[in-house]
Amino acid sequence: MTRKYFKHCADSILGEGLIFLEATGDEITRQVEIYGDSIIWCDKEGQSDDRFMLADQPLSIIGLGAEHEIPAPDFEVVWSQARKSQ
């Protein structure tokens, strides 16, 4: 299955920020959320902050399109930073 990567703006209990997603087909498999100095990661194995869970809606429902796509290496840099910050 094809993997795609996305970046979009979001609001949470921590304020305004950015969400980075990895999707395999229609399923979100990894995500990073950045709100100011807070960097949260989630995948199928767990998450760094129990207040934030891996998106369980299919990509097709979330409504991200080509304008939100980013290259895989851009996602991997953010993912690596998020995992190291914990």
Side-chain angles (χ1 to χ4, degrees), residues 10-54:
D11 289 309
S12 81
I13 59 174
L14 299 178
E16 293 182 8
L18 294 171
I19 296 181
F20 297 81
L21 300 171
E22 174 191 69
T24 302
D26 205 30
E27 180 181 12
I28 305 301
T29 51
R30 293 189 292 170
Q31 74 188 39
V32 175
E33 300 188 36
I34 301 174
Y35 303 100
D37 292 335
S38 298
I39 301 175
I40 299 120
W41 62 265
C42 308
D43 64 14
K44 291 182 176 197
E45 304 302 315
Q47 64 275 345
S48 61
D49 186 322
D50 288 338
R51 298 175 294 177
F52 296 85
M53 305 296 282
L54 183 64

